[in-house]
Amino acid sequence: MEVIYVNKSNRHTFLAANEPSVIALGFFDGVHLGHQQVIKEAKKIADEKQLQLACMSFFPHPKEVLKRDKKKIQYLMPMIVKQRILKSLGVKKFYIVQFDQDFASLTPEQFVQNYLLDFEVKYAVAGFDFNYGQFGKGNMNRIKEDSKGLIEGIKVEKVEFGGEKISSTLIRKLISSGKMDIVHRYLGEHYHIQGKIFSTKNSVEVVASPYYLLPPPGVYEVTVSKGDEIDNQVVLVTQETPKIIFSAHNNRLLADQEDIHIGWIKRLSPGMFTILEEQPSLSQEA
Ligand SMILES: Cc1cc2nc3c(=O)[nH]c(=O)nc-3n(C[C@H](O)[C@H](O)[C@H](O)COP(=O)(O)O)c2cc1C
Ligand SMILES: Nc1ncnc2c1ncn2[C@@H]1O[C@H](COP(=O)(O)OP(=O)(O)OP(=O)(O)O)[C@@H](O)[C@H]1O
């Protein structure tokens, strides 16, 4: 998969290399089940029409640029992980467009001309609530008109769970309140983060890669994995930093400086030590 960072100054340099494509549009933080439906639909059309499958996302998140309070979004994953997942879903070209005030001020017609038609897009696929152009005025019902009939817009219906729209915002809220045991119903799998192990004689800690939202302090059941190796563990997330501390030290997956994945299964306790003290592995260490 080719990854292309686009902004208003370099936009023209990519135009000659573009080929007719089907494009999936949106931010796609977490690539949850709603997002996967959008990409699947785009892939189906790309396969049928024998066109390239592309995806266009934006950075930073439009809400970080447009919201008056400019609150930082706590992302569910770094861009590099999003790229890996999109590639696994069959995306061949991934455009990441710089989202700034100038870009946000493009009219819907300008966005469609400069970023879709000029990029040889033939079919645009997005969810029922995707908006584009100044004030978010453009939507999937008018993309054909905005492209003078040259782009077919495909609107994906709402993917829900329990009567609620699956969204990155909802998943962030679930993680922030420690509801790790239900996140997979929205995400399609348990929430995962990547990090590096820092191991000393007395403690094993993980420092998460930047751009991951971490669950709140408490004790959690997790999986730890590296390549095909996977193990169940109990960790403590502390308030400060926040740090992730393992209860078991004697595991080869937890060797110093190893890069590992943590899958968050369930919060066992919001308290700090109540459950950890009952873990045999920890009492042996003590
Ligand atoms: C060219 C362009 C301009 C936009 N301008 C605005 C805007 O002025 N106001 C707004 O609320 N959203 C604007 N949006 C953001 C969209 O509402 C939406 O948040 C964004 O495209 C990400 O879509 P998603 O959250 O559905 O993935 C704009 C989007 C695009 C592509
Ligand atoms: N539940 C859903 N059902 C169908 N389409 C969806 C769903 N969630 C998102 N989409 C579509 O996926 C693309 C990416 O969406 P976006 O990144 O805005 O997701 P989101 O989960 O709504 O994000 P946020 O909660 O941060 O606003 C857009 O085209 C959007 O319309």
Side-chain angles (χ1 to χ4, degrees):
M1 183 179 78
E2 196 181 347
V3 180
I4 301 173
Y5 286 85
V6 189
N7 58 46
K8 60 178 180 298
S9 318
N10 71 11
R11 189 190 71 89
H12 63 281
T13 61
F14 303 114
L15 304 186
N18 288 320
E19 51 183 283
S21 65
V22 178
I23 204 159
L25 297 168
F27 193 81
F28 299 108
D29 187 26
V31 200
H32 58 57
L33 292 172
H35 298 153
Q36 289 171 30
Q37 191 58 37
V38 172
I39 314 268
K40 256 190 226 157
E41 188 71 43
K43 176 151 179 22
K44 199 174 105 206
I45 299 164
D47 290 346
E48 275 167 19
K49 308 285 177 192
Q50 305 225 314
L51 296 173
Q52 186 179 61
L53 177 60
C55 178
M56 183 178 283
S57 190
F58 314 100
F59 198 84
H61 195 290
K63 282 181 192 155
E64 283 195 350
V65 178
L66 299 167
K67 263 196 150 180
R68 237 172 269 140
D69 58 2
K70 300 261 187 314
K71 221 174 128 206
K72 276 244 168 288
I73 299 265
Q74 291 254 273
Y75 293 105
L76 296 171
M77 57 176 47
M79 190 57 94
I80 189 81
V81 177
K82 192 193 285 186
Q83 288 172 18
R84 207 180 302 144
I85 300 175
L86 292 177
K87 184 178 172 196
S88 76
L89 295 173
V91 174
K92 297 286 183 253
K93 223 172 214 184
F94 182 34
Y95 299 102
I96 302 163
V97 182
Q98 186 181 334
F99 198 97
D100 55 19
Q101 287 294 350
D102 283 349
F103 181 73
S105 307
L106 293 174
T107 64
E109 295 84 353
Q110 284 171 328
F111 167 70
V112 169
Q113 179 64 53
N114 299 352
Y115 289 86
L116 301 182
L117 283 171
D118 285 358
F119 281 65
E120 299 245 19
V121 170
K122 305 295 175 203
Y123 295 81
V125 184
F128 67 104
D129 59 353
F130 177 77
N131 296 110
Y132 58 88
Q134 196 174 30
F135 311 123
K137 271 193 313 202
N139 59 53
M140 295 314 284
N141 295 329
R142 53 174 278 187
I143 205 160
K144 188 156 189 176
E145 199 184 320
D146 285 340
S147 64
K148 300 183 189 72
L150 295 170
I151 296 176
E152 206 62 58
I154 290 95
K155 181 168 68 173
V156 174
E157 291 311 320
K158 178 159 59 174
V159 180
E160 299 179 317
F161 179 77
E164 259 183 300
K165 181 204 157 190
I166 295 181
S167 74
S168 308
T169 306
L170 179 63
I171 294 170
R172 286 185 203 110
K173 280 188 191 146
L174 292 171
I175 294 171
S176 299
S177 52
K179 300 203 172 95
M180 310 313 284
D181 50 337
I182 53 173
V183 166
H184 65 97
R185 294 180 185 157
Y186 302 84
L187 211 47
E189 58 175 27
H190 287 292
Y191 180 57
H192 281 78
I193 66 162
Q194 289 176 14
K196 199 185 242 339
I197 298 276
F198 289 89
S199 177
T200 66
K201 215 163 82 185
N202 301 316
S203 69
V204 183
E205 292 173 16
V206 172
V207 173
S209 309
Y211 290 114
Y212 278 114
L213 172 64
L214 289 185
V219 179
Y220 293 85
E221 182 186 333
V222 299
T223 56
V224 182
S225 55
K226 188 177 172 255
D228 291 337
E229 289 186 89
I230 184 157
D231 200 5
N232 282 22
Q233 290 282 338
V234 172
V235 295
L236 170 69
V237 177
T238 61
Q239 186 94 52
E240 346 60 73
T241 333
K243 265 194 222 159
I244 304 163
I245 303 174
F246 282 90
S247 65
H249 300 175
N250 51 355
N251 186 298
R252 68 202 150 79
L253 284 178
L254 302 182
D256 193 32
Q257 302 297 314
E258 288 286 349
D259 292 316
I260 55 151
H261 287 82
I262 299 181
W264 300 84
I265 312 274
K266 189 175 170 194
R267 193 186 206 194
L268 299 173
S269 156
M272 292 280 110
F273 296 111
T274 41
I275 289 206
L276 271 185
E277 276 163 4
E278 287 161 20
Q279 295 294 317
S281 49
L282 191 78
S283 34
Q284 276 159 23
E285 298 285 332

